[in-house]
Amino acid sequence: IDFDLILENIKELNSLVGEGISEIEHTARGARLRLPEPLPLTLYQNGIVVGQGAFRPYQHPATQQCLQDIMDGYFPSELQPRYPDGV
């Protein structure tokens, strides 16, 4: 696993979605600025944790697919059901 590539690609993906840029949230009394909620990815020596999910060892096929997607420069395909309209 190329951790340097993963970290580099995560930075690029974050910039694509406008990391640190506020969104307009309409309220009953007008609108306000809101930062998008981040989705943490924690890398460990022997696995990962995505968001508030369970620990996933690197040997697990879903973990390998997630990291391969990131190394290929894409958002993990497993996020499509959670974000059907894109990130």
Side-chain angles (χ1 to χ4, degrees):
I1 298 173
D2 187 344
F3 291 105
D4 291 331
L5 179 62
I6 290 172
L7 294 175
E8 179 181 324
N9 286 353
I10 287 173
K11 286 179 185 178
E12 288 181 28
L13 292 169
N14 283 340
S15 69
L16 284 175
V17 297
E19 178 182 39
I21 297 175
S22 299
E23 298 175 343
I24 297 173
E25 178 181 13
H26 296 282
T27 65
R29 300 175 68 188
R32 65 179 174 192
L33 294 177
R34 178 181 60 86
L35 286 174
E37 186 176 325
L39 180 64
L41 169 65
T42 307
L43 303 170
Y44 293 99
Q45 184 176 5
N46 57 347
I48 67 171
V49 174
V50 178
Q52 301 299 319
F55 176 81
R56 297 163 34 180
Y58 290 127
Q59 295 78 13
H60 191 274
T63 304
Q64 292 176 4
Q65 181 62 51
C66 176
L67 295 177
Q68 188 61 55
D69 288 344
I70 294 170
M71 288 189 292
D72 289 343
Y74 299 107
F75 291 101
S77 55
E78 68 185 57
L79 298 179
Q80 287 177 337
R82 184 172 175 182
Y83 301 100
D85 296 326
V87 179

